[in-house]
Amino acid sequence: MISLRSSWPEKLWRKRWDEHLQRLDDLRTKVNESTWDAALARVTDRDRMITDHLLKGDLAS
């Protein structure tokens, strides 16, 4: 989501993504940063591909 921020107009990005980013930031503080970083280290290319499709809306029904 953060990488999307620079490619979208600020107002549009805030409307679409800000709430979600805040929720992720809250979750990160709850699970602690080292646990979060360990989970990120286990993310696969397939996980990234699925996330990319979700962010683009390709998996919407």
Side-chain angles (χ1 to χ4, degrees):
M1 273 187 265
I2 293 172
S3 64
L4 289 173
R5 191 173 199 160
S6 63
S7 62
W8 285 47
E10 183 66 20
K11 187 175 181 179
L12 184 57
W13 188 91
R14 283 190 182 278
K15 182 178 180 181
R16 179 66 178 101
W17 301 110
D18 192 53
E19 179 184 346
H20 304 295
L21 183 59
Q22 288 179 34
R23 291 172 64 201
L24 285 171
D25 284 341
D26 182 56
L27 179 60
R28 183 178 183 161
T29 59
K30 288 178 180 174
V31 300
N32 81 47
E33 200 163 316
S34 61
T35 301
W36 185 272
D37 291 343
L40 282 178
R42 292 190 306 267
V43 173
T44 66
D45 287 340
R46 182 171 170 77
D47 296 331
R48 286 185 178 90
M49 179 188 70
I50 291 169
T51 301
D52 190 47
H53 284 297
L54 284 168
L55 291 174
K56 290 179 180 176
D58 294 341
L59 301 179
S61 52

